[in-house]
Amino acid sequence: MTGRPHVVRGLALGLVTVLVLGCEDSIIKMIGPANSETVTTIDGVFRYQSGDLDNVTDQRQFTWMNTSPRATVKHRSFVHHGSVLILVHDQAGTLVDSTFAEWELDAPTDTGVPGVWTVDFRYFGARGRVDTILEPLATP
């Protein structure tokens, strides 16, 4: 019976280790330096990228000058767990696009008011990477 306290202690330590490792997945993280977040606007084209997402729950908002009443949203993201919702508002504040980050999806926004548009990224337990491009859509 003298060896029994060691067995119980060992089992308790093993149980605590399993619980801690199980909870590691539930740690909510914010966007940080490890995510290599970049925003670029070149020749009127807006691009947002973030990578190495590991259970990220956060929100990012940017403005972009769109000279056209519509834009093409190009999704090159790969979010394999959780989700990232992308909301695009025109100069008047009207929602012109609302899409989850996808892979290889190109879609036009609704028609809006040209000017300073707002692009909002909302992360919900996301894992993977986000790569989204918005470019003015020429009107016929």
Side-chain angles (χ1 to χ4, degrees):
M1 292 263 215
T2 59
R4 190 166 223 172
H6 296 291
V7 171
V8 171
R9 200 174 305 135
L11 288 173
L13 181 59
L15 179 61
V16 168
T17 301
V18 168
L19 290 173
V20 167
L21 291 176
C23 292
E24 185 176 325
D25 185 47
S26 65
I27 297 171
I28 296 173
K29 299 174 184 165
M30 309 288 276
I31 294 283
N35 302 115
S36 303
E37 183 179 44
T38 60
V39 179
T40 56
T41 304
I42 299 172
D43 296 329
V45 176
F46 171 88
R47 185 172 191 178
Y48 173 78
Q49 297 172 291
S50 61
D52 296 323
L53 303 172
D54 182 18
N55 203 33
V56 171
T57 298
D58 204 344
Q59 182 174 341
R60 289 290 198 251
Q61 190 175 79
F62 306 96
T63 57
W64 165 60
M65 176 57 83
N66 184 8
T67 57
S68 175
R70 296 182 79 195
T72 299
V73 182
K74 296 181 177 184
H75 298 273
R76 302 297 182 262
S77 301
F78 180 68
V79 179
H80 56 86
H81 180 79
S83 60
V84 178
L85 178 63
I86 303 165
L87 304 168
V88 181
H89 292 85
D90 70 1
Q91 170 74 33
T94 303
L95 182 67
V96 293
D97 192 66
S98 174
T99 315
F100 285 99
E102 297 283 343
W103 171 249
E104 293 294 322
L105 171 69
D106 296 349
T109 65
D110 292 335
T111 302
V113 177
V116 178
W117 285 27
T118 303
V119 187
D120 189 13
F121 295 85
R122 297 184 184 179
Y123 292 79
F124 303 97
R127 291 176 188 257
R129 64 181 164 76
V130 173
D131 187 356
T132 304
I133 302 164
L134 283 86
E135 56 187 20
L137 181 62
T139 53

